[in-house]
Amino acid sequence: MRQIVLDTETTGLDPRSGHRIIEVACIEMENRRLTGRHLHKYVNPEREIDAGAQAVHGITLEFLADKPKFADIVDEFLEFINGAELVIHNAPFDIGFLNAELRRLDRVPVETVCAGVTDTLRMAKDLHPGKRNSLDALCERYEIDNSSRTLHGALLDTELLAEVFLAMTRGQNSLMIEPDAAPRKQFDANGVARVRKALLVRRASDEELGEHARVLAGIDKESKGACIWLPKPPAEATG
């Protein structure tokens, strides 16, 4: 299965208010393995960036001044995601912005190009109800190093999200793990690592074995020698 982990950064929160995409990043997975292929573009939004949004991602309009417009990258973007399942954290946000950009160019919606969309935020809420399920919180829960994430950035976020997604869905590829692969940690519904305890084996005492033998003897007597749990005496040789 081909999957694309995707993230965007934007000028603000709502595309219906005219906000635009300023960064898009996609990384490719085949059969739950990163292929090394990625698409990463900064985009000139042709409008101002809200101060609140800039505080989150740190991208300035001056930096984007010489970057391509979305119309310049749309064909490359659509070709990259074509036929793949998209994996996105809080998918309605990114899909809403992408479709707004595509509508401006009279292009079809993202959902008609890709094979489907998986929202990891929704998955996380199902797995960890009542818990914080931001990307940072999930990295902490699944012990994924996000120490380099001081600001939001689409490319770094897709790399982290790919690791989070694989951790959340690890049971789905249990048959694909190599025989010599190191065992991975398992987590409960609260995101706490499970510790597998050694299996306790209790052997029957002499008293318990004696009682067991008496019960079987009683069954054998009542069934006139038909107790299947008693060993049968070896058949006598004939001839």
Side-chain angles (χ1 to χ4, degrees), residues 150-161:
T150 54
L151 292 171
H152 287 227
L155 184 58
L156 175 59
D157 285 0
T158 55
E159 293 169 350
L160 293 173
L161 182 57

Side-chain angles (χ1 to χ4, degrees), residues 9-11 20-24 40-49 54 57-69:
E9 299 297 340
T10 64
T11 62
R20 306 287 300 273
I21 288 175
I22 59 174
E23 184 184 10
V24 59
H40 179 221
K41 300 289 184 181
Y42 289 104
V43 180
N44 185 337
E46 304 178 271
R47 60 153 291 154
E48 296 295 321
I49 301 172
Q54 187 170 318
H57 51 60
I59 301 173
T60 66
L61 198 57
E62 290 74 21
F63 172 76
L64 298 172
D66 62 347
K67 301 301 185 287
K69 299 177 176 61

Side-chain angles (χ1 to χ4, degrees), residues 21-36:
I21 288 175
I22 59 174
E23 184 184 10
V24 59
C26 309
I27 59 176
E28 182 184 64
M29 293 193 298
E30 283 274 7
N31 298 322
R32 297 175 56 80
R33 296 180 185 277
L34 294 173
T35 66

Side-chain angles (χ1 to χ4, degrees), residues 89-92 119-134 138 141-142 164 168 189-190:
H89 200 65
N90 192 17
D119 186 354
T120 52
L121 178 58
R122 183 174 178 179
M123 287 177 57
K125 287 180 177 180
D126 290 340
L127 287 170
H128 313 294
K131 302 291 183 179
R132 291 175 55 247
N133 289 301
S134 66
L138 292 172
R141 188 168 299 144
Y142 290 103
V164 166
M168 286 199 298
N190 295 316

Side-chain angles (χ1 to χ4, degrees), residues 7 13 18 25 28 34 59 72 75 141 163 198 201 206 224 233:
D7 187 48
L13 294 177
E28 182 184 64
L34 294 173
I59 301 173
D72 300 321
D75 289 330
R141 188 168 299 144
E163 293 191 60
V201 179
D206 291 341
K224 298 181 179 179

Side-chain angles (χ1 to χ4, degrees), residues 50-159:
D50 279 3
Q54 187 170 318
V56 171
H57 51 60
I59 301 173
T60 66
L61 198 57
E62 290 74 21
F63 172 76
L64 298 172
D66 62 347
K67 301 301 185 287
K69 299 177 176 61
F70 194 84
D72 300 321
I73 70 162
V74 64
D75 289 330
E76 186 178 4
F77 169 72
L78 292 176
E79 181 181 356
F80 193 84
I81 69 169
N82 185 42
E85 176 191 3
L86 302 184
V87 178
I88 308 173
H89 200 65
N90 192 17
F93 178 87
D94 299 87
I95 294 296
F97 269 94
L98 288 168
N99 282 340
E101 296 286 357
L102 292 169
R103 279 194 299 271
R104 290 187 180 94
L105 302 173
D106 294 322
R107 299 299 188 97
V108 296
V110 168
E111 297 91 332
T112 65
V113 178
C114 66
V117 179
T118 294
D119 186 354
T120 52
L121 178 58
R122 183 174 178 179
M123 287 177 57
K125 287 180 177 180
D126 290 340
L127 287 170
H128 313 294
K131 302 291 183 179
R132 291 175 55 247
N133 289 301
S134 66
L135 184 55
D136 283 332
L138 292 172
C139 285
E140 181 179 357
R141 188 168 299 144
Y142 290 103
E143 299 184 338
I144 294 167
D145 181 14
N146 65 338
S147 57
S148 58
R149 190 181 190 244
T150 54
L151 292 171
H152 287 227
L155 184 58
L156 175 59
D157 285 0
T158 55
E159 293 169 350

